[in-house]
Structure formats: C-alpha cells, structure tokens
Amino acid sequence: MSDTDTAKGVTGEDEVVDLCRELIRIDTSNYGDHSGPGERKAAEYVAEQLAEVGLEPKIFESHPGRASTVARIEGTDPSRPALLIHGHLDVVPANAADWTHHPPFSGEVADGCVWGRGAVDMKDMDAMTLAVVRDRLRSGRRPPRDIVVAFLADEEAGGTYGARHLVDNHRELFDGVTEGISEVGGFSFTVSEERRLYLIQTAEKGMHWMKLTVAGTAGHGSMIHRDNAITELSEAVARIGRHKFPVRVTKTTRAFLDELGDALGTQLDPEDMEATLKRLGGIAKLIGATLSNTANPTQLNAGYKVNVIPGEATAHVDGRFLPGYKEEFFADLDRILGPNVKREGTHSDKALETSFDGPLVEAMQSSLLAEDPTAKAIPYMLSGGTDAKSFDDLGIRGFGFAPLKLPPELDFAGMFHGVDERVPVEGLKFGVRVLDRFIDAS
C-alpha cells in the first residue's frame, strides 16, 4: 500500500480481496512431512504487509522453510489483558485436475467469489485480519487493548512447526493474552429472512491419528495361508470404518441444538440423527460429526509383489473424540480392533470446550448485529481441530470467529479441504467490517 493509496482513503474493505488473492497464489501446501513449500514466502509476505503500516513483525522459522509471523499492536489501555488473533498460512494439497472451474492456486475472482485453495481454510481470515490491522494503523486507530496477531505454519498437520513451536519456545510473545479468536466460526446459517444464525466455535474434538499394524506369516502367494496380515488388517479396518459410535451430546452441542430448534420453531432430537441433520442443510457435515466419536480409515499399505504374501500390513486411521469422552473412545477402539491389531498413536491432541459467555462473546454478538440486523450468535462444536489446542496450554481461551455472511445456497462445509474452494467477495468485506467493530467492542 503506497502513500498515495493511503491519501486516497483506501480502506480494509478495498484491499481485502487482493490480500486474499495474493495469499492464495502462494502455494503453501502441507504434505504432512518436514517440507512446507511456500510457508516461508507467505510469512515474509505477511511481515511486509504489517511492516508497511509501522509494526515490527518477527518471523520464526522452526525448520527450514517452516515459518510463522507474529506482531503485537499496542492498545490504549495497557492494564487490560491482550487478545490473540491467529490464523494459519498452510493449506492442504490440491490436485488441479479435480478442480472444475479455476486452478487451485490462481486466486481468480469469478461469479462474485475468490477461488482457490485456502479461500475458506483459512486465507480468508488471514486476509481479513491483515486488512483490518492495516486500515486501523493507517488511520491511527489503536485498539482498546494489546492485540497479538499470529500467522502460523503447519496447522494442517497438527501445528508442530507452527503454534506448538511458538508455545513451547517463544511463549513470551503471548504475555498477557487471555483470549483468542481464529478459524471455523462466525459464519452464517440462514434460517429465514428474519433470522440468520452465526455459529461461534466454542468447542472442538480431540484428535488421535493412529497407525494400525498386523503381523502375519510371509509366504508364496499360491499357497493357502490362514495367517494373512492383509486379511486380518482389512477385516479390522472394515469393522472400524463401519462402526457407529454412540451419540453423546455435550453441553455445546446441546446449546446449539436448543438455539437452532428455537429458530426453526421445533425441537431437534440428537438421538434421531437422520431427521436432525436433514434440518441443517449445508452445515450438516460440520454438525453431524460432533454428535459422536469418529474413526475413519485413511491409508492402507502392505506387500511388495503380487505373488508374495507380506509378513506385515499397516493402516492409518483418523480418530476424533468428543470433550469428556476420550477414555470411552479408546476403549471402543480396542474392542473393535481386537487383540491381533497393534495400535500406535502418530499424533494426538486434546479436546476443547469453553462456555458461551463473557464480554468477548457479547462483543461478537454486537459486532455481528451492527452489520446484520437478523444476526444471532450461537455456540457450536467443530469436528476438526485448530491451533487453539496449543494456545490453550498458555491458558488462552479460544473461540472460532472468522465472520462471514454467506449465501444460503453455498455449501460452506464442503469448501473445507474440498475442490472448487471459494469465498464470496461480499463475505470478505462483511468480515472486515465485523472484525473492525469487534476489536473496538472487545
């Protein structure tokens, strides 16, 4: 942003789309290993945008190429606790051949949307945060309290090289921070012309990624083998993939169903999942997985030649457990797998759940209502996980609040890790206005 642009009164709304497009064009695909192509470049881009308006951002590289950017904005009242606004710069990989409209790293604007990998997960929020911060600093509007902005590496693989690295090695960056906001919350769900609900993420499931191993007897493929590792593992994988874990309603999900039921004028029964989910439309995918623990097989590996029975077979499973139901989850897993399957955790993290109350929640509601008279904020649980898990170790109370007003027909849940990912241009501009109000109200 040049001095000329500033003189012309360029606002956060004016530049949020370009910021989002530029971030999408930086390929920050996270393949789940030590590599992180593009993360350093993205961290440097963010640092340049922050430095341009007078901040002194720092880049932290936890491993070659794996970089995060952090800056602190001084508030007008140093006696107040600070607020953390964090987002991740990495994205899941995208196969361009699967995308039917625009290439995944093009950042093209078409049909009223910005298209590309990361458009909703979560370079939209990164762009909104940058736009708001830049606008406020250009116009000399300091926040009421200190704000720490963090743009992080590696969230899509558990945060080891991003949030976890900073929490373990640079916790002084977050001195005085008591609350934080980040992704997958604050988006709208249209009930009617008179009511639009905005889902605030106050809970998220825990994760346990695991490797399953079965040992058998190696031998010639032409022989009869009762001790076949692939057969044993396949049966276990099929059992776990088809298992229906029992419905367990946490306080967050109960509150969500009650609020949604009131808005719909009906009572929603979590025990009747089919009927309940039919009422949820496009957000059914997000909500359905928060009614129980889950375990989904994602990878299989065995053998090296068609006529050789291998001595070992392995599989990977993505397991998620509800707050308060971790022990039940593992007990169910071991019963389903049986004694011949070795289970080994590859990455684990805790479940989170906080209450839907306090001044920060009130600030969310008031800032949404100011921009959308039909708005009502309600709590919900995220079936996935975020970097809030790492910041929780510092006592930072986390919420998902990346405000977007969405068209009712948009399959928002399907955008996450999906093809043809996109975010409405007007949704980005709405988010900038809401976040700006939220900072003043918080």
Side-chain angles (χ1 to χ4, degrees):
M1 180 66 62
S2 67
D3 291 338
T4 301
D5 290 331
T6 303
K8 292 179 180 177
V10 175
T11 68
E13 282 188 72
D14 295 329
E15 66 175 353
V16 66
V17 171
D18 285 339
L19 289 168
C20 189
R21 296 180 72 193
E22 290 301 316
L23 286 168
I24 289 172
R25 287 169 178 162
I26 303 172
D27 182 354
T28 53
S29 297
N30 188 337
Y31 294 91
D33 54 19
H34 295 304
S35 66
E39 282 181 340
R40 175 79 198 198
K41 183 178 179 181
E44 290 173 349
Y45 173 80
V46 168
E48 290 170 1
Q49 300 304 312
L50 296 174
E52 196 175 68
V53 291
L55 290 178
E56 297 180 356
K58 295 182 179 179
I59 295 176
F60 298 86
E61 192 170 59
S62 57
H63 188 274
R66 314 306 300 272
S68 302
T69 297
V70 183
R72 183 179 284 254
I73 306 162
E74 291 187 359
T76 57
D77 185 354
S79 68
R80 294 188 60 192
L83 173 71
L84 171 64
I85 303 177
H86 61 98
H88 61 86
L89 295 171
D90 63 320
V91 297
V92 296
N95 182 3
D98 295 335
W99 289 55
T100 59
H101 294 283
H102 307 282
F105 298 103
S106 65
E108 292 184 18
V109 176
D111 301 322
C113 293
V114 180
W115 296 69
R117 175 59 84 223
V120 301
D121 189 14
M122 61 169 293
K123 291 179 177 179
D124 57 340
M125 178 61 169
D126 294 334
M128 290 189 292
T129 301
L130 281 174
V132 171
V133 168
R134 285 168 57 84
D135 186 38
R136 295 183 70 94
L137 291 176
R138 283 196 301 263
S139 57
R141 294 182 297 127
R142 290 171 61 191
R145 54 172 166 165
D146 281 13
I147 293 178
V148 176
V149 289
F151 300 85
L152 305 163
D154 198 37
E155 190 274 346
E156 295 292 1
T160 300
Y161 295 109
R164 176 49 54 191
H165 172 78
L166 294 180
V167 167
D168 289 345
N169 299 282
H170 301 283
R171 59 178 56 206
E172 72 281 356
L173 295 168
F174 310 103
D175 284 350
V177 175
T178 58
E179 299 166 309
I181 63 168
S182 189
E183 60 177 328
V184 206
F187 57 91
S188 67
F189 173 68
T190 300
V191 176
S192 66
E193 293 183 1
E194 294 77 29
R195 175 59 71 203
R196 191 176 286 112
L197 302 178
Y198 287 82
L199 280 61
I200 311 300
Q201 194 250 97
T202 60
E204 56 186 62
K205 295 173 80 172
M207 66 172 67
H208 183 72
W209 296 342
M210 68 199 89
K211 178 182 178 181
L212 308 181
T213 304
V214 171
T217 302
H220 199 288
S222 67
M223 303 294 182
I224 296 174
H225 280 261
R226 305 299 182 193
D227 184 22
N228 188 312
I230 293 179
T231 302
E232 181 79 28
L233 180 67
S234 297
E235 291 172 345
V237 167
R239 289 195 300 271
I240 204 168
R242 294 192 178 100
H243 182 73
K244 291 184 178 181
F245 289 86
V247 171
R248 299 285 186 255
V249 181
T250 69
K251 64 180 182 180
T252 296
T253 300
R254 181 71 271 169
F256 167 80
L257 292 173
D258 288 345
E259 291 280 5
L260 181 58
D262 287 345
L264 293 171
T266 185
Q267 186 173 356
L268 298 177
D269 182 6
E271 295 295 339
D272 186 359
M273 287 183 59
E274 184 174 348
T276 296
L277 295 178
K278 283 181 179 179
R279 305 298 301 270
L280 303 184
I283 63 169
K285 297 174 185 176
L286 282 175
I287 303 303
T290 66
L291 297 174
S292 69
N293 295 328
T294 58
N296 286 304
T298 54
Q299 292 177 288
L300 287 169
N301 186 55
Y304 58 90
K305 197 170 185 290
V306 69
N307 63 343
V308 177
I309 296 173
E312 184 178 274
T314 63
H316 285 80
V317 175
D318 183 341
R320 310 281 174 149
F321 53 88
L322 298 167
Y325 292 93
K326 181 178 180 179
E327 292 183 2
E328 179 181 274
F329 172 69
F330 285 117
D332 286 346
L333 272 183
D334 290 337
R335 186 184 68 256
I336 297 164
L337 293 174
N340 297 327
V341 181
K342 177 185 175 184
R343 175 174 59 81
E344 175 187 2
T346 59
H347 183 83
S348 298
D349 215 332
K350 59 190 170 185
L352 297 178
E353 189 165 34
T354 189
S355 56
F356 188 62
D357 56 21
L360 202 70
V361 171
E362 293 172 5
M364 293 176 195
Q365 174 64 52
S366 64
S367 59
L368 286 166
L369 196 59
E371 293 296 333
D372 180 359
T374 73
K376 183 177 184 181
I378 68 171
Y380 93 106
M381 182 188 300
L382 176 66
S383 61
T386 74
D387 284 326
K389 296 180 188 297
S390 294
F391 294 118
D392 181 71
D393 289 352
L394 299 180
I396 297 174
R397 184 185 181 202
F399 296 87
F401 186 63
L404 289 171
K405 185 167 72 171
L406 302 170
E409 67 276 8
L410 183 69
D411 181 12
F412 184 64
M415 298 293 102
F416 289 86
H417 299 189
V419 300
D420 297 334
E421 188 178 348
R422 59 198 182 276
V423 62
V425 167
E426 291 306 314
L428 288 171
K429 294 180 178 182
F430 172 85
V432 166
R433 297 194 300 270
V434 172
L435 280 177
D436 192 48
R437 291 180 180 276
F438 168 76
I439 286 172
D440 284 330
S442 65

